[in-house]
Every structure is written in structure tokens, then in C-alpha cells.
């Protein structure tokens, strides 16, 4: 897929990154993924920052029902994932956070 791809081939995702920096520069900074494997996709990842994920989800107009929830690391890490088409690219939003430890029943009462 990426064989022979030049930097110009990433123009769509890089243009979207530039737009996001201008339009949403006040939001928390994510880890950004641009890849020649998926040249029309831009990933925004938030490690230990589900609030950052939520701020971006809301700003991008992604409805809460479009967010996929799963757990990894034997149930110790929450993963929130959503995607949206934005200015010609697929924008993938991923948030990671700890799963809270269960409260013992004796302490909850």
C-alpha cells in the first residue's frame, strides 16, 4: 500500500491536521498518528486522558452513542474509540484510561 508513496500522498491527513490545529488549538494535545499505510486517515490518541478524548469528541460533533467502549489489559484499561469523516479524511479518536478498582460491598454501604 505505501510502496512508492511520497509525502504528497499524505496531503489529506496532513491538511486535516493543519485545520484541526487552527480550529481546535485550544483543546488538549493528543498523540497524533499519520501513516503511509492509511494515507487518508488521521489518528488522535489520548493516553490516561479520557477528559481530553471527551473534549475532542464533543468539539467534532461525535454523538456519545457512536463511541465504542472496550477493555484491554485483562480489564485494567478502558478504551474509547470513535471515528468521523472530517475534511476528506477519516479522523479516528481513541482514549485510554484506567478502569476504577471495584469498591468492596462493605465500604459501599
Amino acid at each position: 500500500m505505501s510502496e512508492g508513496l511520497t509525502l504528497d500522498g499524505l496531503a489529506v491527513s496532513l491538511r486535516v491536521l493543519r485545520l484541526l490545529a487552527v480550529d481546535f488549538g485550544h483543546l488538549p494535545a493528543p498523540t497524533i498518528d499519520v501513516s503511509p499505510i492509511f494515507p487518508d486517515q488521521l489518528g488522535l490518541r489520548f493516553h490516561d486522558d479520557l477528559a481530553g478524548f471527551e473534549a475532542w469528541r464533543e468539539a467534532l460533533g461525535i454523538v456519545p452513542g457512536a463511541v465504542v467502549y472496550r477493555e484491554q489489559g485483562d480489564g485494567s484499561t478502558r478504551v474509547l474509540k470513535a471515528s468521523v469523516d472530517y475534511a476528506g479524511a477519516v479522523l479516528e479518536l481513541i482514549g485510554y484510561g484506567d478502569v476504577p478498582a471495584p469498591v468492596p460491598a462493605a465500604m459501599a454501604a
Side-chain angles (χ1 to χ4, degrees):
M1 259 188 162
S2 63
E3 188 176 319
L5 186 69
T6 63
L7 188 59
D8 235 11
L10 299 174
V12 171
S13 57
L14 294 174
R15 182 183 69 238
V16 167
L17 179 58
R18 184 176 178 187
L19 289 171
L20 293 174
V22 170
D23 294 340
F24 303 111
H26 62 284
L27 293 177
T31 298
I32 297 169
D33 294 316
V34 177
S35 171
I37 297 169
F38 302 105
D40 294 338
Q41 183 172 315
L42 181 66
L44 305 179
R45 289 184 290 130
F46 298 87
H47 296 274
D48 297 321
D49 186 10
L50 294 179
F53 173 92
E54 282 299 313
W56 276 92
R57 181 199 57 76
E58 188 174 300
L60 293 168
I62 300 171
V63 297
V67 175
V68 175
Y69 174 87
R70 62 184 176 85
E71 294 178 359
Q72 66 184 33
D74 292 329
S76 64
T77 303
R78 297 188 236 198
V79 181
L80 302 178
K81 186 174 181 181
S83 63
V84 64
D85 290 332
Y86 190 85
V90 174
L91 189 57
E92 185 177 58
L93 195 59
I94 302 174
Y96 302 95
D98 293 333
V99 172
V103 177
M107 295 181 77

